[in-house]
Amino acid sequence: MIQFQQVTKKFHNMSAVDSVSLQIKPGEIIGFLGPNGAGKTTTMRLLLGYLRPSSGAVSIEKKDPHRQRIAILKMIGYLPENNPLYLEMKVAEYLQFVASIKEVKKEQIQSVVEQVALDEVLETKIEELSRGFKQRVGLAAALIGEPKILILDEPTSGLDPIEQDRIKDLIKKMAKKKTVIFSTHILSEVEDVATRLMIINQGQIVYDGEKPKKAGGVEKLFKKLVKKE
Amino acid sequence: MFTLYKKELAYYLNNSIGYIVIILFAIFANFLYVKDIFVVGSASMRPFFNILPWLLMVFVPALCMRSIAEEKRTNTIELLLTLPVSETQVVLAKYLALLTLTGVSFVLTMGLPVSLFFLTKSNLSNLYIPEILVGYVGSILIASAFISLSLFFSSKTKNQVVAFLSSAVILFFLIIFSSDFASSVLPKALQDRLNYLSPVYHLQNFIKGLVDLRSLFYFLSFTVAFLFMTIIELEKRE
């Protein structure tokens, strides 16, 4: 269970996240929407213990992600925004590095490689890969260690429609066993993948609930709520 | 932590930059000593150890400048710190990898004492080996202090050039605190105090073959203080 209780995060007196309270149950797929600078990435970083809240409390399975960062990070797979990678490494080398830090056996890397379809580029340097492949490498790294929670910050940003579909299918497949929180600007993606929708604007959660059932409903709701603010 | 250490070391070993910096250091260190070897007229490695801080002033910041600054620029620092590793492990792995590389570059200067040994042997004069060994220990200690300082400046910025220049300038001032120039310009009372802060002053004992515990403590505390500040800098994410 993930919990935010009245969490505020300020950067130089500016609130990036403002009094956010939420609960996420195991197995949910959360589509996290919001305009640029709304506080999506900050919320995710708070969840990872990468940032410390200015006030309020964050907990994952009753543990504080900032104080017990190492223990919490063992159960989270994270794909950061813009997918930073060690470009000078080969794909196999990079996955081995992540697996070694997460203390995961080599056999598990192979199963992730198959899941994400990276076999053909294992011996290629990451800097030589296409954007789609780079994204898959980032996703594979997040999946290593069979994390219970998967946090994906704009996983399909900048990808062509075919790669977008591939990543969407992967998220759906993985979500059967995990809690997934993903942020995106592609509203149709939320309609396809998420089981629950959260919209954040100016650091506050303005919608938290079921996604609209009608086609195009997410877009309408998003525009309505974000315009209002 | 060993995984992080291997990754850091592999970056320099799989990259021409690491080799270029180490080989350039070896060339300069060997050349600057050998050019005056017959002028000095004594079989001693002291002139070599005396020029080392000046070389390290450029070599160490050049080697360290990318270490954290580049991770910050490319945001791989977020990737690293959202894996189950602590800031202390990250900083120590980087420090140890850089110390290893500096150690390798010192190995490339080992030809000097070996040549000197054979040269003096034919003249029936003696080369005092323990003095040379203690000199190398002192050199490793001063390099360790310089690495920790350069790592700290690398953690303060996203720009490698800024990291290089700020470390090199601070090291330059620390070195000249104990130079003749400082003693001729500064009041004696002030120079005495600044002198004690200079790593070169503490290196002198090692160069003479003396393991002075005060100097040992100085180098160790200098290194630990800057490594600690680097860890704090990484913990501050905002």
Side-chain angles (χ1 to χ4, degrees):
Chain A
M1 167 87 87
I2 297 167
Q3 221 169 359
F4 271 54
Q5 286 173 313
Q6 292 293 312
V7 174
T8 297
K9 179 67 194 169
K10 286 184 177 178
F11 296 106
H12 308 290
N13 292 329
M14 250 188 67
S15 293
V17 169
D18 191 6
S19 300
V20 167
S21 293
L22 56 90
Q23 275 189 354
I24 299 168
K25 289 179 200 136
E28 286 191 295
I29 309 175
I30 310 288
F32 204 33
L33 294 180
N36 289 327
K40 299 187 295 289
T41 301
T42 305
T43 308
M44 291 181 165
R45 286 175 175 171
L46 286 164
L47 200 54
L48 288 152
Y50 185 74
L51 293 177
R52 193 200 324 234
S54 308
S55 66
V58 182
S59 70
I60 298 176
E61 294 187 0
K62 293 181 181 164
K63 286 180 184 158
D64 180 333
H66 190 74
R67 287 198 182 150
Q68 291 160 282
R69 196 168 65 82
I70 309 277
I72 289 292
L73 289 175
K74 281 183 182 166
M75 57 172 113
I76 299 180
Y78 177 49
L79 177 69
E81 190 183 9
N82 301 324
N83 190 21
L85 294 164
Y86 290 108
L87 301 177
E88 72 278 5
M89 284 186 179
K90 287 179 180 169
V91 175
E93 215 181 322
Y94 176 68
L95 297 179
Q96 183 70 57
F97 165 69
V98 174
S100 176
I101 285 189
K102 290 186 175 180
E103 295 168 356
V104 167
K105 286 179 187 161
K106 274 185 187 172
E107 301 84 70
Q108 222 248 298
I109 302 177
Q110 192 49 42
S111 91
V112 170
V113 166
E114 281 165 18
Q115 242 179 306
V116 187
L118 279 174
D119 310 70
E120 54 181 302
V121 294
L122 276 179
E123 289 307 315
T124 310
K125 273 195 172 185
I126 297 175
E127 63 189 348
E128 291 163 13
L129 296 178
S130 67
R131 201 176 172 128
F133 267 119
K134 279 183 186 157
Q135 203 72 1
R136 279 194 251 169
V137 173
L139 203 55
L143 285 174
I144 286 176
E146 295 179 346
K148 287 184 192 170
I149 302 164
L150 209 52
I151 299 175
L152 311 171
D153 200 351
E154 299 186 18
T156 54
S157 133
L159 299 182
D160 63 52
I162 297 164
E163 274 301 333
Q164 281 181 10
D165 285 344
R166 195 192 290 265
I167 302 275
K168 269 194 290 190
D169 289 342
L170 261 169
I171 296 173
K172 276 187 201 168
K173 223 196 287 175
M174 289 173 315
K176 286 172 189 159
K177 301 173 202 161
K178 303 177 197 304
T179 306
V180 181
I181 302 166
F182 73 97
S183 72
T184 183
H185 286 296
I186 304 164
L187 305 177
S188 62
E189 216 166 82
V190 178
E191 281 182 349
D192 289 350
V193 182
T195 57
R196 181 174 152 195
L197 172 65
M198 274 188 202
I199 301 175
I200 188 168
N201 191 28
Q202 294 176 345
Q204 291 180 322
I205 301 282
V206 290
Y207 182 86
D208 180 3
E210 280 185 17
K211 61 180 179 184
K213 282 174 185 136
K214 276 186 190 170
V218 173
E219 191 176 342
K220 269 187 194 165
L221 179 70
F222 179 79
K223 283 184 177 165
K224 191 177 138 195
L225 289 168
V226 171
K227 232 183 195 175
K228 255 188 192 174
E229 299 291 316
Chain B
M1 196 176 86
F2 185 64
T3 307
L4 287 170
Y5 168 78
K6 268 201 314 189
K7 175 205 146 255
E8 286 301 316
L9 212 52
Y11 174 83
Y12 292 100
L13 299 179
N14 295 333
N15 192 322
S16 53
I17 296 167
Y19 291 100
I20 291 169
V21 175
I22 289 171
I23 289 169
L24 276 179
F25 169 81
I27 290 172
F28 281 119
N30 284 290
F31 171 74
L32 289 172
Y33 176 66
V34 169
K35 78 179 175 65
D36 291 331
I37 194 168
F38 296 109
V39 180
V40 176
S42 71
S44 169
M45 284 289 287
R46 286 186 190 184
F48 168 75
F49 292 122
N50 277 322
I51 53 166
L52 259 188
W54 294 99
L55 280 173
L56 292 174
M57 181 192 88
V58 179
F59 166 72
V60 169
L63 208 57
C64 298
M65 62 185 186
R66 66 157 286 281
S67 198
I68 299 175
E70 187 65 5
E71 297 245 27
K72 281 189 159 185
R73 192 186 66 80
T74 56
N75 203 30
T76 47
I77 196 74
E78 183 179 351
L79 185 79
L80 204 55
L81 293 175
T82 49
L83 288 171
V85 286
S86 67
E87 289 85 354
T88 308
Q89 286 174 313
V90 170
V91 172
L92 284 181
K94 286 180 183 292
Y95 161 77
L96 290 173
L98 290 162
L99 192 63
T100 307
L101 288 167
T102 313
V104 169
S105 61
F106 283 169
V107 170
L108 297 178
T109 66
M110 290 287 188
L112 294 173
V114 172
S115 316
L116 208 58
F117 176 77
F118 286 110
L119 274 172
T120 52
K121 205 177 165 191
S122 58
N123 289 340
L124 297 173
S125 50
N126 277 327
L127 187 70
Y128 191 51
I129 307 248
E131 182 191 290
I132 294 171
L133 290 177
V134 173
Y136 270 108
V137 170
S139 305
I140 291 283
L141 286 169
I142 197 172
S144 156
F146 283 16
I147 289 169
S148 66
L149 182 139
S150 303
L151 260 182
F152 171 69
F153 282 104
S154 179
S155 73
K156 293 288 288 178
T157 175
K158 288 181 181 177
N159 188 323
Q160 293 191 44
V161 178
V162 172
F164 172 80
L165 290 175
S166 42
S167 326
V169 166
I170 298 293
L171 290 176
F172 171 75
F173 281 109
L174 283 174
I175 290 172
I176 61 161
F177 280 167
S178 74
S179 68
D180 296 339
F181 172 75
S183 56
S184 63
V185 174
L186 298 169
K188 191 172 180 321
L190 179 63
Q191 210 263 328
D192 282 347
R193 283 183 176 81
L194 290 178
N195 196 23
Y196 196 77
L197 286 178
S198 173
V200 174
Y201 167 80
H202 293 278
L203 181 67
Q204 291 312 310
N205 288 323
F206 288 93
I207 294 176
K208 289 173 201 156
L210 298 170
V211 180
D212 186 330
L213 287 179
R214 286 169 301 176
S215 298
L216 189 66
F217 180 74
Y218 166 85
F219 283 124
L220 293 180
S221 45
F222 188 112
T223 304
V224 170
F226 275 100
L227 289 180
F228 180 71
M229 288 198 287
T230 312
I231 293 165
I232 298 290
E233 191 58 38
L234 278 194
E235 284 178 352
K236 277 197 268 167
R237 311 234 210 271
E238 282 106 271

